[in-house]
Amino acid sequence: DNVYTGDAPSLSELEPEVQQSILSYYEEIGLLYDLDAELEQAYQWYLKTEDGEPFYSCMVSQHIDPTAANDRFVWYSAYVTHPIKDGLHEETSVHTIFDRKTGAVVAPADLFTCSETEAAGRILDAAQMPDTELRREMEKAFRFEYLNFNSDALEVCFPAGSLLNEHLDHYLGIDYG
């Protein structure tokens, strides 16, 4: 509540039944990380710390922000930050589309009139992605779930491991203009 991002409305600006639907959705999915597993991992790292070596702090968090809106839909993203090693942290995200009038979850594919394969090609064309091996990998790996609609740009996040030779998330941004 009371979070504003670009042109996306705060939850409090939506109709009460839509607010409740969105809140219920996020209450149902709960935390997108396992706190016990994260604590155990941090403890194991601590135990492996040798005398004189620094132990790096570990942070785990989850927050949900509105990312975009139009007259029919509102987009929210849940961001999770967790440690990966030696003080480094990684952020992952899950994006959800809600019908602005009912609060119902909308499947990303329902926003398109073409197949996932055709959408991948068109989105990569819009990004002016050259015909390279990386582009061909992106076309094969593309999923509608990888899309994040922001108020000023479309973002495609290929999760770590979804592209060959890419061990971290790989982002591609396309301005709407």
Side-chain angles (χ1 to χ4, degrees):
D1 201 5
N2 297 317
V3 173
Y4 296 86
T5 306
D7 295 328
S10 171
L11 184 67
S12 61
E13 293 178 42
L14 301 171
E15 293 296 324
E17 56 274 2
V18 173
Q19 291 178 37
Q20 188 54 52
S21 181
I22 292 170
L23 289 171
S24 294
Y25 171 81
Y26 283 110
E27 285 173 10
E28 186 177 315
I29 66 169
L31 290 177
L32 299 174
Y33 60 88
D34 180 339
L35 182 57
D36 290 336
E38 295 289 347
L39 288 169
E40 181 60 32
Q41 179 63 63
Y43 183 60
Q44 292 304 316
W45 287 334
Y46 173 75
L47 291 176
K48 290 180 183 176
T49 303
E50 307 262 335
D51 286 338
E53 282 185 346
F55 172 71
Y56 298 97
S57 64
C58 299
M59 178 185 78
V60 178
S61 69
Q62 177 174 321
H63 68 278
I64 301 163
D65 293 330
T67 60
N70 63 23
D71 60 336
R72 293 184 57 202
F73 306 108
V74 61
W75 286 263
Y76 278 82
S77 294
Y79 299 95
V80 175
T81 301
H82 62 95
I84 51 177
K85 70 174 186 168
D86 297 335
L88 298 175
H89 290 76
E90 169 181 72
E91 183 177 80
T92 58
S93 54
V94 177
H95 315 290
T96 307
I97 307 161
F98 297 93
D99 183 291
R100 193 168 177 156
K101 291 186 178 27
T102 67
V105 173
V106 177
D110 292 347
L111 301 180
F112 292 84
T113 59
C114 62
S115 69
E116 220 168 39
T117 302
E118 187 177 345
R122 289 182 178 195
I123 289 169
L124 293 172
D125 286 346
Q128 300 178 347
M129 185 75 183
D131 186 18
T132 62
E133 186 174 331
L134 178 58
R135 179 188 170 118
R136 289 186 287 282
E137 285 181 42
M138 288 178 168
E139 287 173 338
K140 278 195 248 178
F142 180 85
R143 300 289 175 267
F144 284 129
E145 300 86 56
Y146 296 171
L147 297 175
N148 182 23
F149 291 82
N150 291 296
S151 59
D152 59 350
L154 174 64
E155 181 181 86
V156 185
C157 174
F158 293 91
S162 63
L163 301 173
L164 296 175
N165 302 317
E166 296 292 332
H167 305 291
L168 300 172
D169 291 351
H170 191 92
Y171 290 88
L172 182 66
I174 303 114
D175 289 336
Y176 294 134

